[in-house]
Amino acid sequence: MMRNLKVLHLASFSGNIGDNANHAGARAQFAQNLSFQLDYTELEIREFYWKQRFFDDDFISYTNQFDLLLIGGGNYFELWVENSRTGCSIDLPPELLAKIQCPVIFYGLGVDAGQGVPDACLQRFREFMDYLLAHDRFFVAVRNDGAVATLEKYLGNSYAQAVSAVPDGGFFVRPGHHEHPELVSFPRNLVINLAGDMLDTRFKGGGDFLSADGFFKEFARCIEQLLEINTDLGAVFVPHIFRDYAPVSAVIEYLPDAIRRRRIAVAPYLVGTAGGDKQFSLYQHASLVLAMRFHANVCPIGMGVPTLGLVCYPQISHLYRELNLSEYAVDVTLDGFSTKLSAQAQLALETSDIDRNVIMLRLLSDIKATHKKIDAWLLRQFC
């Protein structure tokens, strides 16, 4: 008989629908691949960011009521969090980790150097990783967004070799059926995600590099051209967080009035598991996805939908490189990017030249391999 484990799942569950897709896909794969039934209690990590909860003895006492602590997936191994005792968002230094009585899985975490790596953070993170890797109570798996390469760059090859790598759960999400008024006006649709956070980091401007406003103008010209060539095509913008409405509004402002009134739709801002399921079913019905955010790329790729990555943050180029799809990632920070993006988009609309079944077979093989390691580790802990 399969053993049930009470799992405290620490992650983000509200505020960014990409996280919901990640968890849904990962849990579905856990259910297929593990010898244990996982019964989840969700703990919102943003409550720690909002200072409603703290990584302290109260957290440890709560954690110790469970059989297993699951942290992730998510981008929680950032290397810039200077007010953290570990240099990252998971502020659990060795003295607190030692008090956790249950096994802990750090699952599908991004190791993000995109916002800088202060020396103090790197030293704290190294000490944190040293403790995790020295004790069998902890299992560390990072996700396929360049995390292993980042570990190797900043900590060294021994750390990169000591962790497991796992495809993001979003590759395996399969949304339910939903009605979408955004899609009914045209036989084919572009589904577009633009990220509205960290715009100064994404678009630094100067020289051949675009400011955020420069990107909005050029991207609007690209969309205008695609819609003029393909008269059966509509465009639907999909926000993942509330900030995504700002770039959507800016791009629409630069479109001709006849296009924005007749050919453009904007999906509502939805959150949580149900909201994420509905939003990602929009991607499922796209003729082509143009996307900035990580899960706006991951999920449609996993669903076999033609997708072009709009690269303005290193994570996206790392993702496409790890999938051997670098030619489908377009750097949109460079002046003149629209020439390449328009050509790539038009080609994708006319033909699908990627054997996406091969990609998914590899991703399924990769996640099963890591889950086999996790299963063996769980068996050591509980049997």
Side-chain angles (χ1 to χ4, degrees):
M1 178 179 292
M2 184 175 289
R3 177 172 175 177
N4 284 29
L5 296 180
K6 294 190 303 179
V7 179
L8 179 61
H9 189 179
L10 174 63
S12 174
F13 303 97
S14 60
N16 186 332
I17 59 169
D19 294 317
N20 300 103
N22 182 4
H23 305 324
R27 289 181 182 184
Q29 290 297 308
F30 279 141
Q32 293 182 34
N33 298 332
L34 300 185
S35 304
F36 297 82
Q37 169 74 42
L38 305 184
D39 299 324
Y40 300 95
T41 296
E42 296 177 352
L43 180 59
E44 174 58 57
I45 197 169
R46 281 189 169 82
E47 293 181 7
F48 293 82
Y49 303 161
W50 298 331
K51 306 303 181 184
Q52 296 175 351
R53 292 180 183 265
F54 301 91
F55 289 107
D56 56 15
D57 285 335
D58 288 339
F59 169 76
I60 300 299
S61 296
Y62 182 55
T63 297
N64 285 337
Q65 299 174 35
F66 294 84
D67 299 317
L68 178 69
L69 173 61
L70 172 63
I71 300 177
N75 200 33
Y76 305 143
F77 281 177
E78 309 105 320
L79 301 179
W80 54 266
V81 188
E82 295 189 72
N83 63 350
S84 166
R85 292 163 290 182
T86 62
C88 68
S89 291
I90 309 303
D91 190 11
L92 283 171
E95 59 267 25
L96 285 180
L97 289 170
K99 298 179 181 180
I100 297 178
Q101 297 169 5
C102 64
V104 184
I105 302 178
F106 295 84
Y107 183 80
L109 301 188
V111 184
D112 187 357
Q115 297 183 64
V117 186
D119 289 342
C121 290
L122 186 59
Q123 179 58 34
R124 293 175 204 153
F125 185 70
R126 183 186 299 275
E127 293 170 359
F128 173 62
M129 289 295 294
D130 284 341
Y131 189 87
L132 296 182
L133 297 175
H135 295 83
D136 193 47
R137 287 190 304 113
F138 307 106
F139 189 100
V140 182
V142 298
R143 70 186 182 190
N144 59 336
D145 62 351
V148 171
T150 303
L151 279 176
E152 183 171 7
K153 177 178 179 180
Y154 288 98
L155 294 185
N157 183 65
S158 62
Y159 292 85
Q161 293 295 319
V163 303
S164 295
V166 63
D168 188 272
F171 286 110
F172 310 99
V173 71
R174 297 297 178 264
H177 174 74
H178 298 275
E179 298 295 329
H180 291 294
E182 303 93 334
L183 300 177
V184 300
S185 297
F186 295 92
R188 299 191 300 161
N189 284 276
L190 291 175
V191 173
I192 302 167
N193 168 260
L194 302 178
D197 59 340
M198 302 188 298
L199 287 176
D200 290 342
T201 300
R202 296 176 186 276
F203 299 101
K204 297 180 180 179
D208 293 331
F209 292 94
L210 293 169
S211 65
D213 191 61
F215 165 76
F216 300 149
K217 290 179 182 178
E218 188 162 343
F219 188 70
R221 290 197 300 270
C222 181
I223 298 304
E224 179 183 357
Q225 180 181 7
L226 289 170
L227 294 183
E228 286 178 346
I229 294 171
N230 302 277
T231 57
D232 64 339
L233 192 66
V236 181
F237 291 87
V238 182
H240 284 209
I241 68 172
F242 67 94
R243 286 193 178 94
D244 293 354
Y245 275 122
V248 171
S249 178
V251 168
I252 291 174
E253 285 283 349
Y254 285 117
L255 289 170
D257 198 47
I259 285 181
R260 63 188 173 207
R261 291 182 183 274
R262 292 177 173 172
R263 308 283 295 279
I264 302 295
V266 181
Y269 170 52
L270 300 175
V271 297
T273 300
D277 195 75
K278 182 165 185 177
Q279 296 293 67
F280 281 104
S281 73
L282 274 167
Y283 291 96
Q284 194 172 30
H285 297 292
S287 301
L288 173 64
V289 172
L290 306 178
M292 280 188 183
R293 290 199 175 279
F294 184 69
H295 288 102
N297 285 276
V298 162
C299 296
I301 289 173
M303 291 185 281
V305 178
T307 305
L308 297 177
L310 307 179
V311 177
C312 56
Y313 197 71
Q315 182 186 49
I316 303 305
S317 55
H318 294 329
L319 169 69
Y320 277 80
R321 183 168 62 250
E322 292 206 8
L323 295 174
N324 296 320
L325 295 175
S326 290
E327 66 269 33
Y328 298 96
V330 179
D331 187 341
V332 296
T333 68
L334 293 171
D335 188 18
F337 75 84
S338 59
T339 300
K340 179 178 179 181
L341 181 59
S342 295
Q344 288 277 68
Q346 189 59 41
L347 179 63
L349 287 167
E350 292 172 355
T351 180
S352 178
D353 61 346
I354 306 174
D355 188 345
R356 297 179 187 274
N357 287 329
V358 171
I359 296 170
M360 282 309 299
L361 285 172
R362 177 161 61 87
L363 291 168
L364 280 167
S365 175
D366 289 346
I367 200 169
K368 286 179 179 178
T370 300
H371 283 187
K372 185 176 181 179
K373 293 180 184 178
I374 292 174
D375 199 47
W377 174 79
L378 288 171
L379 288 167
R380 289 201 304 274
Q381 308 301 316
F382 294 106
C383 296

